[in-house]
Amino acid sequence: MWEGKMGGKNSSENSRISAPPGDLPSGEFSCAASLQAMATAGISGISGISGILGSLLQLEENFSSCLARIDALVLKPLLQAEPQDPKEKENFQLLVLLNDRFQSLWNFTEENSRILRGKSQLENSGCIQDFSILWKGEVFLSLYIQYFVTFANFVVVQGFEQAARSKSDAWKLHKAVLKEFLRDFTSESSLGLALHLVLHKPFQEHIQGYLQLLSQLHEQLQEGSERDVVATVLQEFGKLESFISQVLDEAVFTKELWKSLGYKFTDVLCVPERRLLEDSRNLPIASGAARSERLLLFDDVLVLIQGNSFQSFDLKLVWVDENCGEKSAPGLHSLRITTPEETFVLSTKDPQMKAVWRWKLEQAVRQALNGKRDFPLWGRSGEGSEAPSRRFFTYVFRMEGRLRGATYEGEWLWGKPHGKGTLKWRDGRNHVGDFQEGLEHGFGICLVPQRSEDRYDCYKCHWYQGKMRGYGICEYGNDLVYRGYFKDNVRQGFGILENFSAEHPFRYTGHWENDKKNGYGVWDDKERGERYIGMWSDDLRHGEGIVVTQSGLCYQRTFHAGKMVGSGILLLEDDSVYEGNFTEELTFVGKGKLSLANGFVLQGTFSSRGGRGLSTHGVLSTAPEPRRQLDQLGLKEFPVEKRWTGIFEQFLEFLHSGCKEETEESYTGFHIQTSKELRKSQEYLCCQRGSEEIFWKIEEILEDLVEHTGPEALQGYLEKALESSLHPLGKLLRALTAAFQATFAGIGANRHLLAMAQDEVKFYSRKIWEFYLGLLRVALERKGRAPAEDADPSLGKGPSLVLPLILPGFYPELSMLYMLQHQREDELYCQGIVELSLFPDIQLLEFLDVQKHLWPLKDLTLTSNQRRSLIKDKCFLSATECLQKLITTVDPREKLEILRRRISWNVSFHLGNTRNAPFHLRDPRNVPFQPGDPRNVPSHMRDTRNVPSNIADPRNVPFHLGTSPGPTSVPPLSSTLWSQSITPVIPNFFS
């Protein structure tokens, strides 16, 4: 192949051609194995080979003498006549380069002559190794190709005609001698044509001499590796002969074109390396709709000429389609030409002309894409592969439209950006990502500069037909960050908008519509220390809403266009409840009802007297009145199935789309970073950046779903999937966790929201199970199977299977809400534990209604000091240890396991089996069961001041008493009450 660059002003002058890699065994004309075979094999016809070797030596010596004469009589005089005109100086530089190629070829011929002369003088001469043309064949070809390419460039620019017109004195003095020398080559009187012939005809004749000698050598050899090597070299020199002839024809063809065109065209189009491949005047074809008068196909561009103007199209971005898709006029045969900004049709009346034009266009485009010409330049008509439809190139858009002035670098398909690429506008915009049919489509990163400041808005999201659609992250230049879903370049669906600036920090988690907050959402105002949970419309609070303050106040109101309207409910920290109208500063105004914590009710009209306190006109009722259950808010106003519809809608659309791999990230969020800018986002809406090495692919996920449908396998699969940040189930859980924490964590940890949180978690388990069933249905459909109607009955309890798996992720928020809700009961329970620790053994056993045959002390007549045995001390310490474990354990399942082991040990202990007892109670010496033990109880067990702090502090004992005595005082202990409630239980978050 000709590996030199093609056409254009930047084409390399040091072009060379190498043989196609498949033509020779090792990419060279002779390899080590071939030479070894030739050295060891018997050769017949030695005298014939020796004669061929001598003929080759004589051929080289004669050619070297001819080159010496050409150098002395032609090249040196031409080089002495350096012109002064700038245009002629450019051509003179080509002549200098041609002389360099000539000298290299001459030196190589001299060296080959010396080698052949030395070989011929040896006694054992006449073997294949003596023919340097065989083992240096690639060097031969390279030198000849470089020379003739440079020679053709000089022909194209009419260099010989210009040299013949030289007016230098040195040239004039030498002209007579030169004419005498040129008579051996031509009888023409034209000096330019004579120079043209003298510098190429001897070389062509010399190659023909090579071919004759190689043919004779091939005939002399028998079948074998030697003959194959000679045949290969002979074939390559035959290609060289064709190549030289084609190069010279193209050069003359191109030179005649430049002569026929005016300076307006040649000044722009004429480049020494550019070759004319076809002209519509020689092979008629026309552009549709009278687009052009003439069509010129060069080796690097396609040119349409219309009058005094022309259009050129880079062949690297030209696609040829014989099925133009348009109805041609009767009797016309058409080709459709596609470029990045234009599409036109070429028509001809002759189907053969259409075939030739199509073939030449395809070959020219393919060679332009490869960056090198074929060797030889043209094969037989119909040979050669078509140009690939997918390409990589850089192009600047010039015509009107959204891409005017933009530069695209990347993959192309049929004239449009398609695949990976980078699009840059002049105003600084930059898009890097996936393209489809000329539009942004798929994942991409877009930088948009801000006008006022030196900052950028960075969009990292999915695109659909040129517009943002699906999940994405936008980092604005004003410190705002949005993580959520887009549609048609605006925020649409579920999303989180957060402001990280120190002046006005806030975060909104909820639904968007047409780039505005709409629907259910949570607004966290960190500057004011309050959180709004409720409905929105056009970026304003509109509808029912709950406001939770950092001080613990909580109220529910109706909003209209951002303003509070109507009456509401205000819950105070001391359990007082106000129902009526109040201001944003939480001042009572108008009619209202205030229910105090002690049961008193004040009902009337309230007003504020400008700093002098609250004034009211009404009735104060001191009679006890049954309190309405107003402590839990938001259950009726915000049905759980209507809160986070934006999250579930995206995952359901993913199911309805058939769970396609290319759309998975758009619907469920992306996990892998694709650029340095993407690493700036420390949080993800639907997934977190983890250290998982296994990448879950949709095909693998659906395959595993079918294989894990049994109850035990299903539980393990769900647990693994929910823990993964790459699995769609894990992404859904993380999205729900983000929404849950935005509502109930931090300021939202208010006991009046416990019921909302409980309903939400239970609803999550149902939706995750529904999504799992949807994935399973898609997996079965892909395998051509239908969901089994007689499925395992246990699978019908899917939400109960999912709930324990997702509960640990919500436990911190639920635990805090539960503790705040049951804080008073916990205080009573802790006080009861302390009082029980003061009871004597017998009184404690009687109080707990323990049957006497289970008492550890059989002799009840012992003294009080003897009854204070170490058994009680050990049991009390063991109980305290159990309580401490329950307090410090977060996972509900671990709490249940602690209680199970404790109860199991108690039963075993009373039955006399101490194998499962704590270590310090397994030794009988440490368990004094015998009555009459004189040892006394340690004094620290009798002093309540020494009770561990984590037991004395009611905040650390979240145990449910079961009965609330009221807000005023702690009632005296009764055996019935404590016998029913002394057993500690795990907080029941869903009771």
Side-chain angles (χ1 to χ4, degrees):
M1 292 294 183
W2 181 5
E3 298 181 350
K5 294 184 179 179
M6 304 174 54
K9 296 183 178 180
N10 295 327
S11 298
S12 173
E13 295 164 333
N14 298 318
S15 303
R16 60 179 295 273
I17 297 176
S18 63
D23 290 349
L24 295 177
S26 63
E28 299 179 0
F29 286 96
S30 58
C31 61
S34 299
L35 291 174
Q36 185 177 2
M38 286 186 288
T40 57
I43 301 177
S44 63
I46 297 296
S47 58
I49 295 178
S50 300
I52 295 173
L53 182 65
S55 298
L56 180 60
L57 173 60
Q58 184 179 358
L59 181 68
E60 292 290 75
E61 289 178 344
N62 293 339
F63 183 59
S64 179
S65 300
C66 180
L67 294 180
R69 294 176 62 198
I70 293 174
D71 177 66
L73 300 177
V74 178
L75 288 177
K76 286 184 178 179
L78 287 175
L79 292 174
Q80 293 176 358
E82 183 174 358
Q84 301 298 323
D85 183 78
K87 180 64 176 179
E88 295 180 355
K89 280 189 174 182
E90 295 180 6
N91 296 344
F92 184 78
Q93 294 301 319
L94 282 177
L95 179 62
V96 173
L97 180 61
L98 180 63
N99 178 68
D100 293 340
R101 305 293 194 212
F102 178 90
Q103 299 298 329
S104 298
L105 188 56
W106 185 18
N107 293 335
F108 185 77
T109 304
E110 287 287 332
E111 180 183 357
N112 191 37
S113 299
R114 288 194 297 270
I115 294 174
L116 291 174
R117 192 177 301 110
K119 295 288 185 181
S120 62
Q121 295 175 357
L122 298 176
E123 295 181 359
N124 57 348
S125 63
C127 61
I128 293 298
Q129 291 91 333
D130 295 339
F131 291 85
S132 57
I133 192 175
L134 299 178
W135 49 273
K136 285 188 177 182
E138 185 172 344
V139 181
F140 273 84
L141 292 177
S142 176
L143 291 174
Y144 276 98
I145 290 170
Q146 292 179 10
Y147 175 81
F148 274 98
V149 169
T150 308
F151 177 85
N153 293 342
F154 196 65
V155 172
V156 167
V157 297
Q158 305 176 47
F160 293 108
E161 290 81 351
Q162 177 185 318
R165 295 192 299 268
S166 175
K167 298 180 180 179
S168 67
D169 296 335
W171 178 251
K172 292 179 180 179
L173 294 175
H174 193 73
K175 191 178 271 190
V177 180
L178 180 62
K179 286 184 178 181
E180 186 67 25
F181 170 70
L182 294 176
R183 288 178 183 175
D184 298 338
F185 297 95
T186 179
S187 59
E188 296 287 343
S189 60
S190 172
L191 184 58
L193 178 59
L195 291 174
H196 176 272
L197 290 174
V198 77
L199 287 175
H200 83 80
K201 191 172 182 180
F203 297 89
Q204 285 184 289
E205 293 175 350
H206 189 61
I207 292 177
Q208 291 175 358
Y210 279 150
L211 289 172
Q212 293 176 2
L213 291 177
L214 287 172
S215 298
Q216 295 176 11
L217 181 62
H218 183 264
E219 294 175 356
Q220 291 289 330
L221 297 175
Q222 296 179 354
E223 294 292 337
S225 58
E226 309 163 348
R227 186 183 177 95
D228 294 340
V229 171
V230 175
T232 301
V233 177
L234 181 61
Q235 181 182 6
E236 293 302 314
F237 271 90
K239 291 181 180 180
L240 177 62
E241 185 181 31
S242 299
F243 170 81
I244 293 174
S245 177
Q246 292 168 354
V247 165
L248 295 178
D249 289 344
E250 282 188 357
V252 174
F253 191 29
T254 307
K255 181 183 72 172
E256 296 302 323
L257 172 70
W258 300 140
K259 287 182 177 181
S260 65
L261 294 178
Y263 288 105
K264 184 176 182 180
F265 297 101
T266 56
D267 288 346
V268 179
L269 295 175
C270 182
V271 179
E273 296 81 7
R274 179 169 289 161
R275 298 292 182 270
L276 177 65
L277 306 183
E278 194 54 77
D279 188 347
S280 62
R281 290 186 177 179
N282 297 328
L283 195 64
I285 196 169
S287 176
R291 182 186 181 90
S292 65
E293 299 174 350
R294 191 175 184 182
L295 182 70
L296 300 176
L297 175 61
F298 292 95
D299 59 346
D300 59 337
V301 293
L302 178 65
V303 178
L304 302 181
I305 297 178
Q306 178 69 37
N308 293 326
S309 62
F310 70 92
Q311 279 184 293
S312 63
F313 303 94
D314 194 320
L315 288 183
K316 295 179 180 178
L317 286 175
V318 170
W319 284 261
V320 183
D321 186 9
E322 62 177 345
N323 300 318
C324 59
E326 300 177 5
K327 291 185 178 181
S328 303
L332 292 180
H333 304 273
S334 302
L335 294 172
R336 184 175 64 182
I337 306 298
T338 302
T339 67
E341 297 186 83
E342 292 186 69
T343 300
F344 53 92
V345 176
L346 302 179
S347 302
T348 180
K349 296 181 180 180
D350 190 347
Q352 293 183 352
M353 291 185 180
K354 171 190 172 180
V356 174
W357 266 102
R358 178 181 175 275
W359 179 74
K360 287 198 172 185
L361 283 167
E362 289 282 3
Q363 299 309 306
V365 171
R366 178 180 56 80
Q367 294 181 36
L369 290 172
N370 293 335
K372 56 187 178 182
R373 301 291 301 276
D374 290 345
F375 180 72
L377 297 180
W378 301 98
R380 291 187 300 272
S381 178
E383 290 185 349
S385 60
E386 295 183 356
S389 57
R390 287 186 174 272
R391 306 168 189 178
F392 187 94
F393 198 69
T394 301
Y395 181 78
V396 180
F397 291 89
R398 299 176 178 85
M399 300 183 67
E400 293 292 339
R402 72 181 190 94
L403 297 180
R404 182 180 182 183
T407 301
Y408 175 77
E409 179 182 5
E411 298 174 332
W412 296 78
L413 177 65
W414 287 104
K416 296 180 180 180
H418 192 96
K420 305 290 183 182
T422 301
L423 189 61
K424 298 180 180 179
W425 282 268
R426 294 176 180 176
D427 59 1
R429 285 179 296 161
N430 190 338
H431 183 94
V432 181
D434 298 325
F435 293 82
Q436 181 175 318
E437 295 184 359
L439 298 174
E440 299 89 336
H441 191 90
F443 180 78
I445 300 178
C446 182
L447 296 178
V448 180
Q450 291 187 346
R451 296 180 180 179
S452 57
E453 303 177 13
D454 188 17
R455 294 188 176 186
Y456 286 82
D457 294 339
C458 181
Y459 298 88
K460 297 161 285 190
C461 61
H462 286 263
W463 302 70
Y464 181 80
Q465 294 183 357
K467 296 181 179 180
M468 289 185 291
R469 180 174 178 179
Y471 176 75
I473 298 176
C474 179
E475 297 173 351
Y476 300 96
N478 55 0
D479 295 329
L480 287 176
V481 176
Y482 174 78
R483 303 183 302 278
Y485 293 92
F486 292 86
K487 185 177 181 181
D488 296 337
N489 288 336
V490 297
R491 293 175 285 230
Q492 184 82 13
F494 178 77
I496 300 175
L497 179 66
E498 192 165 3
N499 185 9
F500 291 94
S501 65
E503 297 180 359
H504 305 290
F506 67 85
R507 182 173 64 179
Y508 171 78
T509 304
H511 297 277
W512 299 78
E513 186 175 343
N514 198 23
D515 221 28
K516 294 183 180 180
K517 293 182 280 291
N518 248 303
Y520 181 78
V522 179
W523 174 270
D524 201 352
D525 192 334
K526 299 179 181 180
E527 185 178 15
R528 298 186 59 180
E530 69 176 27
R531 179 174 296 170
Y532 171 80
I533 306 170
M535 306 305 295
W536 295 77
S537 179
D538 291 336
D539 272 341
L540 298 174
R541 302 177 185 182
H542 191 86
E544 297 295 331
I546 297 173
V547 177
V548 183
T549 65
Q550 198 167 13
S551 61
L553 296 177
C554 181
Y555 64 88
Q556 180 175 309
R557 284 294 292 271
T558 301
F559 293 82
H560 181 79
K563 303 293 183 180
M564 292 190 298
V565 296
S567 61
I569 301 174
L570 176 61
L571 305 177
L572 304 177
E573 293 184 74
D574 61 350
D575 288 338
S576 298
V577 179
Y578 174 77
E579 301 174 67
N581 197 6
F582 49 87
T583 64
E584 293 184 357
E585 290 76 21
L586 305 183
T587 302
F588 304 161
V589 292
K591 293 183 179 182
K593 177 182 177 181
L594 178 63
S595 301
L596 302 176
N598 58 4
F600 294 176
V601 177
L602 177 60
Q603 187 169 1
T605 303
F606 297 85
S607 62
S608 177
R609 294 188 174 182
R612 290 185 293 171
L614 183 65
S615 173
T616 180
H617 296 278
V619 179
L620 176 63
S621 175
T622 58
E625 177 180 322
R627 303 193 62 178
R628 294 158 52 192
Q629 294 296 327
L630 297 175
D631 58 333
Q632 294 299 313
L633 304 178
L635 294 177
K636 295 182 180 179
E637 292 76 14
F638 313 117
V640 65
E641 61 273 6
K642 296 183 179 180
R643 292 181 196 168
W644 303 114
T645 57
I647 297 178
F648 302 116
E649 286 174 355
Q650 295 294 329
F651 283 81
L652 288 177
E653 286 187 21
F654 175 59
L655 290 177
H656 296 158
S657 67
C659 299
K660 298 178 181 179
E661 184 78 35
E662 60 271 15
T663 61
E664 192 265 339
E665 285 188 349
S666 175
Y667 289 120
T668 65
F670 45 77
H671 177 81
I672 297 178
Q673 335 266 7
T674 56
S675 69
K676 294 182 179 179
E677 290 81 3
L678 193 57
R679 299 190 185 102
K680 296 179 182 178
S681 299
Q682 299 299 319
E683 298 181 52
Y684 288 91
L685 171 63
C686 295
C687 49
Q688 295 177 354
R689 197 174 168 198
S691 59
E692 298 183 58
E693 298 180 356
I694 301 177
F695 186 80
W696 292 68
K697 294 185 178 180
I698 290 298
E699 297 297 333
E700 299 174 358
I701 291 173
L702 298 179
E703 188 71 26
D704 290 344
L705 276 173
V706 179
E707 296 176 359
H708 297 80
T709 55
E712 296 182 1
L714 174 60
Q715 184 173 2
Y717 178 83
L718 288 175
E719 185 174 2
K720 181 180 178 182
L722 292 171
E723 290 177 355
S724 172
S725 61
L726 299 173
H727 196 285
L729 292 177
K731 291 182 178 182
L732 176 59
L733 178 59
R734 279 157 179 78
L736 297 174
T737 303
F740 187 86
Q741 292 175 349
T743 309
F744 303 108
I747 300 176
N750 192 292
R751 61 190 180 92
H752 304 297
L753 304 179
L754 175 61
M756 279 186 65
Q758 292 173 338
D759 285 354
E760 216 163 279
V761 174
K762 289 187 287 186
F763 184 70
Y764 292 167
S765 65
R766 296 199 299 270
K767 297 303 290 186
I768 291 176
W769 178 251
E770 290 177 8
F771 186 55
Y772 162 77
L773 293 179
L775 287 174
L776 180 60
R777 182 173 59 256
V778 173
L780 293 175
E781 289 176 354
R782 289 193 177 186
K783 289 184 171 292
R785 297 162 51 185
E789 297 180 358
D790 55 345
D792 194 315
S794 62
L795 298 181
K797 301 178 181 180
S800 61
L801 183 65
V802 174
L803 184 59
L805 300 177
I806 67 173
L807 188 58
F810 306 103
Y811 187 81
E813 291 78 23
L814 285 174
S815 178
M816 179 61 67
L817 292 171
Y818 184 88
M819 291 172 60
L820 294 173
Q821 177 70 11
H822 299 282
Q823 183 175 2
R824 188 174 299 280
E825 290 89 337
D826 292 343
E827 292 175 357
L828 293 175
Y829 184 80
C830 184
Q831 183 180 351
I833 292 292
V834 174
E835 292 188 11
L836 283 177
S837 66
L838 301 176
F839 278 31
D841 293 349
I842 300 301
Q843 186 179 355
L844 181 60
L845 292 173
E846 292 175 348
F847 175 78
L848 298 177
D849 289 337
V850 179
Q851 299 179 14
K852 289 189 176 183
H853 69 275
L854 296 177
W855 288 12
L857 299 178
K858 296 182 180 179
D859 189 356
L860 302 179
T861 62
L862 296 176
T863 64
S864 59
N865 288 337
Q866 291 175 331
R867 286 196 299 269
R868 296 184 185 127
S869 64
L870 289 178
I871 296 176
K872 190 196 72 170
D873 297 339
K874 299 297 184 182
C875 290
F876 188 81
L877 288 174
S878 180
T880 303
E881 180 183 354
C882 180
L883 292 176
Q884 290 176 336
K885 289 182 178 180
L886 290 173
I887 293 169
T888 56
T889 301
V890 176
D891 193 340
R893 289 173 292 187
E894 295 182 7
K895 289 181 181 286
L896 289 173
E897 181 63 22
I898 293 171
L899 287 176
R900 187 192 64 78
R901 291 198 301 265
R902 178 62 185 171
I903 295 173
S904 176
W905 174 79
N906 285 340
V907 174
S908 300
F909 186 80
H910 289 299
L911 294 178
N913 182 7
T914 61
R915 285 181 300 172
N916 296 325
F919 180 77
H920 66 277
L921 293 179
R922 293 181 186 177
D923 191 344
R925 293 173 295 179
N926 295 332
V927 186
F929 267 84
Q930 300 299 325
D933 193 335
R935 287 178 291 180
N936 296 326
V937 177
S939 59
H940 73 274
M941 296 303 302
R942 313 302 302 169
D943 190 351
T944 58
R945 292 175 297 178
N946 294 324
V947 176
S949 60
N950 64 333
I951 298 299
D953 190 348
R955 294 172 296 179
N956 296 328
V957 190
F959 295 136
H960 183 41
L961 184 59
T963 304
S964 178
T968 54
S969 61
V970 178
L973 293 172
S974 66
S975 60
T976 303
L977 171 65
W978 282 102
S979 64
Q980 295 175 352
S981 60
I982 189 62
T983 303
V985 296
I986 291 182
N988 185 2
F989 293 137
F990 305 106
S991 61

